[in-house]
Amino acid sequence: MTQQRLHHPRPHTPLLVRRTASLVVTPAVVGHRGASGYRPEHTLESYRLAIAQGADDIELDLVVSADGVLLARHEPDLTFSTDVATREDLAHRRTVRTVDGHRVESWFADDLTLEELRSLRATERFPDVRPGSASFDGCFAVPTLDEVLSLVAEEQMARGRSIGVRLEIKDAAFLAAKGLPIEEPLLASLRRHGLDHARSRVSVMSFEPTVLQRLAPLTRVPLVQLLDEPHLRPADLAAAGDPRTFADLGTPAGLAEIERYADGVGPRHTWLTRQVTTDAGPALVPTTFVRDAHREWLTVHTWTLRAENRFLPAPYRLADADADVAGHGDLAGYAALLLGLGVDALISDAPDVCLAARDGDAAVPAGD
């Protein structure tokens, strides 16, 4: 079968791709860490804005406090997304650990109590790229999982529509070794909120296969195996001496194995196309990943779609992208391309832009 080249779309020009059907009636648009292109990530205000923009689901990463409470942070290292480095009263809690083979000196969520974590305030991860979001630094607290689930319930009642929640488990193998297994408090929280069932619009994701395999017989919510860069290894497999990489998990044989314990697969968006050079400039051609996953009846949830030039493939950046790091490229065009490939969900920092691309709106609504 000859691959079809996907050129950078121009205004009012249809994508040069044959549309492939997704496995769902309407592909979902997911607010990644909320509407994190506009507000500091993993805050109630970021989630609330994503819901107001119309996101079908919100996504949050889970970390654990020293006293076993689940909170929404991208990773245990708190330096990048909170004001912890400015807190003189917590200076003595700075520690050193090895993260992905590198020595890191910082403050980590699982070393701090819930009381200490709740005293922190969120900050923008990319202040040079997102000065508008950075203007809210110090305004918002670090929420617990229970607080986010309560917010979603309130928003559903107020808006009269169902809102999904994507929960990403972080560092499961490390936390289990430390005596802080994450699946137990996660399932307990879902049960408290009446969400541990197949129709709850909750799904659980992880880069680590073993925690999903442990969860599979314990819950009926959908499970999604995340795939990072192909050359990397899942942390749990590396810790166990298993040589497999994400590339191995993403082969047809690997996808068949994933189907035994998960309902979907979440590849980084770079899995779905590859860049080629043409006389007209850089272009993208599709890989077979979506087709291979759908053959196993695995839904495809791709991440993370961001509006800024820095994060977009070359054909979708502005001409002056190097000079304007905070400038926005053609995220709507890129989202439309991925939808044309048949993905089942777009996970984005700018859910408003992806919703406009999915629904064919003439104008992309403003983030605020």
Side-chain angles (χ1 to χ4, degrees), residues 41-317:
E41 66 187 34
H42 288 316
T43 59
L44 293 182
E45 289 72 14
S46 182
Y47 300 132
R48 190 176 286 114
L49 178 57
I51 293 168
Q53 290 177 344
D56 302 296
D57 305 351
I58 60 169
E59 182 268 352
L60 56 150
D61 306 305
L62 298 176
V63 301
V64 185
S65 69
D67 39 359
V69 178
L70 296 181
L71 299 101
R73 288 290 92 192
H74 177 250
E75 68 273 296
D77 188 340
L78 299 168
T79 302
F80 303 105
S81 64
T82 75
D83 62 354
V84 67
T86 69
R87 293 285 303 277
E88 294 184 3
D89 58 318
L90 294 176
H92 65 292
R93 307 305 298 276
R94 189 173 184 177
T95 58
V96 177
R97 71 172 56 166
T98 299
V99 180
D100 296 330
H102 302 285
R103 181 183 182 275
V104 176
E105 184 175 359
S106 189
W107 293 261
F108 299 94
D110 44 281
D111 290 333
L112 274 64
T113 65
L114 175 62
E115 181 180 2
E116 290 170 326
L117 289 164
R118 293 288 287 146
S119 72
L120 300 177
R121 290 298 176 265
T123 58
E124 170 55 45
R125 180 180 297 271
F126 306 115
D128 59 328
V129 175
R130 296 172 174 172
S133 177
S135 68
F136 293 93
D137 282 3
C139 296
F140 310 135
V142 174
T144 65
L145 172 59
D146 283 332
E147 288 173 330
V148 177
L149 295 179
S150 294
L151 168 69
V152 171
E154 293 167 3
E155 290 288 334
Q156 288 183 144
M157 289 292 292
R159 298 178 183 276
R161 69 178 179 92
S162 178
I163 300 164
V165 179
R166 313 283 183 106
L167 303 173
E168 182 183 342
I169 293 176
K170 294 283 189 176
D171 300 304
F174 172 83
L175 291 170
K178 192 176 180 179
L180 292 169
I182 198 167
E183 52 265 45
E184 296 174 10
L186 169 58
L187 293 177
S189 185
L190 293 181
R191 290 170 188 144
R192 279 196 301 274
H193 292 266
L195 296 173
D196 189 18
H197 58 85
R199 298 186 304 280
S200 68
R201 293 288 310 282
V202 170
S203 58
V204 176
M205 311 185 294
S206 183
F207 289 104
E208 300 183 24
T210 51
V211 69
L212 296 178
Q213 291 164 359
R214 290 197 300 270
L215 282 170
L218 301 177
T219 183
R220 297 184 63 190
V221 303
L223 305 178
V224 177
Q225 174 67 59
L226 297 174
L227 299 177
D228 207 337
E229 295 287 359
H231 68 280
L232 298 176
R233 296 168 66 189
D236 57 334
L237 299 189
D242 188 322
R244 284 179 295 167
T245 64
F246 287 109
D248 297 312
L249 299 186
T251 63
L255 293 170
E257 178 64 25
I258 289 172
E259 191 277 333
R260 298 177 62 181
Y261 62 86
D263 305 277
V265 62
R268 183 186 287 269
H269 64 92
T270 50
W271 278 79
L272 307 184
T273 64
R274 61 183 178 86
Q275 186 171 305
V276 298
T277 300
T278 72
D279 292 340
L284 301 178
V285 295
T287 67
T288 64
F289 184 87
V290 174
R291 182 184 65 190
D292 294 341
H294 283 175
R295 281 178 173 170
E296 298 297 335
W297 295 102
L298 291 167
T299 49
V300 177
H301 314 254
T302 193
W303 56 276
T304 299
L305 304 188
R306 295 180 166 117
E308 295 85 5
N309 284 307
R310 176 187 296 182
F311 306 113
L312 287 165
Y316 291 86
R317 297 173 188 163

